[in-house]
Amino acid sequence: MTTADLSITAAASDDPRIRRLVHDLDADLAIRYPGDIGDPGGHLDPAVRFLLAEFDGRPVGCCAIQPFSDGAAELKRMYVIPAARGQGIAVRLLAEAERLAAALGHPEIRLETGLHQPEAIALYTRAGYTTIPNYPPYQHEPLSRCYAKRLP
């Protein structure tokens, strides 16, 4: 698989492919944070916009952008299936999410990830995200880390 063969398209939050990927993400988070993941599917705004990554018609990843209360965008539900990791899919998804957020007029994108997700932290850091204070509802979560990036 090459990222040139990858398609990334918009998808509805109730699309069965998105629902399956989000379910798999929640299962992964439950392993990384046993008994401590709160409401993994929560905090989604009705205006959320999902992106679906597919290779050869098979869903391999997703992420979402939703408006943040102050006009920024928030990256949510970023996930790539284990069999497709290490092939640049997350980099492409993140770039598409940033383009979408900028096209929607958001000057900044923020996200929350966890300390037990070093691959996510590395991805975001390489992409130019910097740490910021944990924002609500993560402000009292010791395993959470929040990041932000200004958009062009």
Side-chain angles (χ1 to χ4, degrees):
M1 173 187 339
T2 68
T3 57
D5 299 324
L6 185 72
S7 69
I8 299 176
T9 57
S13 61
D14 62 352
D15 183 305
R17 298 166 299 175
I18 292 291
R19 292 173 65 111
R20 180 69 205 168
L21 288 165
V22 168
H23 175 270
D24 292 349
L25 168 60
D26 290 344
D28 180 69
L29 292 174
I31 292 167
R32 293 177 193 243
Y33 305 95
D36 192 36
I37 61 169
D39 180 13
H43 314 302
L44 289 182
D45 186 278
V48 69
R49 302 254 189 123
F50 271 90
L51 295 172
L52 173 67
E54 292 182 291
F55 176 75
D56 199 22
R58 184 174 49 98
V60 293
C62 67
C63 68
I65 289 292
Q66 72 177 3
F68 202 73
S69 59
D70 65 359
E74 185 178 22
L75 180 72
K76 305 291 285 182
R77 315 311 285 159
M78 178 73 137
Y79 181 69
V80 174
I81 65 171
R85 292 180 185 162
Q87 300 178 50
I89 295 168
V91 172
R92 288 268 313 275
L93 268 170
L94 184 57
E96 286 297 320
E98 290 173 0
R99 277 193 279 284
L100 174 59
L104 293 171
H106 299 289
E108 180 178 71
I109 188 166
R110 297 181 191 141
L111 63 93
E112 180 273 341
T113 192
L115 288 179
H116 299 307
Q117 295 163 265
E119 66 284 3
I121 291 170
L123 168 71
Y124 301 133
T125 302
R126 279 192 313 270
Y129 287 76
T130 57
T131 56
I132 60 171
N134 287 5
Y135 53 83
Y138 311 108
Q139 72 272 27
H140 301 297
E141 297 293 332
L143 296 178
S144 287
R145 289 298 175 267
C146 293
Y147 293 82
K149 180 179 179 179
R150 296 293 300 168
L151 296 172

